[in-house]
Amino acid sequence: MPKITYIEQDGTERTVEAEAGSTVMETAINNDIPGILATCGGSCSCATCHVYVDEDWVDKLPPPELDENDMLDTAHDLQENSRLSCQIKVTDELDGLIVTTPARQI
């Protein structure tokens, strides 16, 4: 199973196993990762699952689609490596992915 590391704003790191085919958001929710609210349940209609993708991983992900870009515009503290974790599908190739939760969600 691929492993994903979630880093909280205080530096706390949690590495969890993720099921291929799930999303980074679903994995966070299933493992009680703080900082990912996922208000819309993964339908890409809010930005409460906003994360910062580690720079080493940004180019390994498919680019965000238009819907995701539109929702990211509503996120706080947007950065170039910002993504919605509900839109990142877990694959075996993402083993070792590192994401950081923002200081605040909407």
Side-chain angles (χ1 to χ4, degrees), residues 56-75:
D56 292 338
W57 287 93
V58 170
D59 292 334
K60 297 175 183 176
L61 298 176
E65 294 188 11
L66 182 59
D67 289 349
E68 181 179 357
N69 277 329
D70 287 346
M71 289 292 20
L72 280 169
D73 285 341
T74 68

Side-chain angles (χ1 to χ4, degrees), residues 3-35:
K3 292 185 179 171
I4 299 173
T5 298
Y6 297 85
I7 304 174
E8 297 174 46
Q9 283 300 299
D10 67 2
T12 301
E13 294 186 20
R14 291 189 53 202
T15 301
V16 298
E17 289 187 346
E19 187 175 324
S22 68
T23 66
V24 172
M25 180 215 73
E26 291 168 333
T27 302
I29 297 302
N30 291 339
N31 288 279
D32 298 319
I33 302 294

Side-chain angles (χ1 to χ4, degrees), residues 2 4 18-27 42 60-62 83-94 97:
I4 299 173
E19 187 175 324
S22 68
T23 66
V24 172
M25 180 215 73
E26 291 168 333
T27 302
K60 297 175 183 176
L61 298 176
R83 293 293 302 266
L84 297 182
S85 59
C86 69
Q87 298 302 296
I88 304 172
K89 289 281 187 194
V90 175
T91 64
D92 290 335
E93 291 76 30
L94 293 186
L97 175 67

